Amino acid sequence: RWTRRPHKPRLCILCDISDSVRQVARFTLQLAYTLQERFAKVRSFVFVSDLGEATPLFEQCEIERAVEKVYSGAVVSVAANSNYGRAFRQFVEHHLEAVTSRTTVIILGDGRSNYFPPEAWALARIKARARHVLWLHPEQPSSWMFGDSAMKDYLPHLSRAEVVTNLASLKRVIDELVL
């Protein structure tokens, strides 16, 4: 008899490190670092306006040093304004090969893009290649349709969007992802 092996997720993490999520960004960077430690096929990216890959930094440094380097601008400028559309477009242009039909893409951020074009087509391209696209959001859904939030443009291109505000909600989502 053949037994089915459990699915070992391939992960691609896109983490917003802008000022608007500064309070949760350290937590989300630690999550990205930990996931990269726990799973064999993980690539980690950070963005504000530009997107950069943090995978090598996470592989080379201890967690606190890696997080400090990200905050000091070692991967992308942290002085810019959030621009999700630009970051998603850069991902498609330079890193789309990281996403396969076995990849779960996890986006960590608030979707607030300072009224820049959302470039939702780029997220649609990512979704077309991915197994799942999961957005972990620090705000309640009632705030997603107001102000500079581009979530209304992004929601159609997601497998799921989950509010993650504490360790219990994060554990629930990660447990579902791994199982």
Side-chain angles (χ1 to χ4, degrees), residues 26 29-30 57-58 62-74:
R26 178 170 299 279
L29 284 171
Q30 291 172 338
L57 183 63
F58 287 174
E62 294 295 319
I63 190 167
E64 286 304 317
R65 181 77 177 125
V67 170
E68 290 309 316
K69 284 182 150 232
V70 168
Y71 275 129
S72 70

Side-chain angles (χ1 to χ4, degrees), residues 68-123:
E68 290 309 316
K69 284 182 150 232
V70 168
Y71 275 129
S72 70
V75 182
V76 297
S77 171
V78 294
N81 289 322
S82 297
N83 187 336
Y84 276 75
R86 178 181 170 95
F88 291 155
R89 186 179 74 245
Q90 288 178 352
F91 183 83
V92 167
E93 291 171 352
H94 303 291
H95 303 288
L96 194 57
E97 86 290 343
V99 180
T100 71
S101 62
R102 296 178 60 199
T103 306
T104 295
V105 176
I106 302 173
I107 302 166
L108 304 157
D110 64 2
R112 298 201 172 276
S113 197
N114 292 294
Y115 301 101
F116 288 110
E119 309 274 4
W121 66 266
L123 191 56

Side-chain angles (χ1 to χ4, degrees), residues 14-173:
L14 283 69
C15 184
D16 178 356
I17 58 168
S18 67
D19 283 341
S20 68
V21 292
R22 181 66 78 183
Q23 293 180 5
V24 295
R26 178 170 299 279
F27 175 68
T28 58
L29 284 171
Q30 291 172 338
L31 168 65
Y33 184 99
T34 302
L35 289 172
Q36 189 170 312
E37 267 190 331
R38 301 284 185 251
F39 297 101
K41 302 281 187 184
V42 178
R43 288 183 67 185
S44 299
F45 298 86
V46 295
F47 66 92
V48 177
S49 177
D50 289 315
L51 176 121
E53 186 163 7
T55 307
L57 183 63
F58 287 174
E59 290 170 347
Q60 297 163 5
C61 297
E62 294 295 319
I63 190 167
E64 286 304 317
R65 181 77 177 125
V67 170
E68 290 309 316
K69 284 182 150 232
V70 168
Y71 275 129
S72 70
V75 182
V76 297
S77 171
V78 294
N81 289 322
S82 297
N83 187 336
Y84 276 75
R86 178 181 170 95
F88 291 155
R89 186 179 74 245
Q90 288 178 352
F91 183 83
V92 167
E93 291 171 352
H94 303 291
H95 303 288
L96 194 57
E97 86 290 343
V99 180
T100 71
S101 62
R102 296 178 60 199
T103 306
T104 295
V105 176
I106 302 173
I107 302 166
L108 304 157
D110 64 2
R112 298 201 172 276
S113 197
N114 292 294
Y115 301 101
F116 288 110
E119 309 274 4
W121 66 266
L123 191 56
R125 292 268 313 271
I126 295 167
K127 174 71 167 83
R129 290 181 59 102
R131 179 181 182 99
H132 300 290
V133 177
L134 173 63
W135 195 302
L136 303 182
H137 204 294
E139 299 176 351
Q140 294 301 318
S142 58
S143 69
W144 296 359
M145 303 302 164
F146 298 102
D148 64 343
S149 177
M151 288 304 292
K152 63 187 165 296
D153 299 297
Y154 298 140
L155 283 170
H157 309 294
L158 303 176
S159 306
R160 283 174 50 191
E162 295 285 337
V163 174
V164 174
T165 57
N166 57 39
L167 286 174
S169 57
L170 176 63
K171 182 182 181 328
R172 177 185 47 78
V173 171

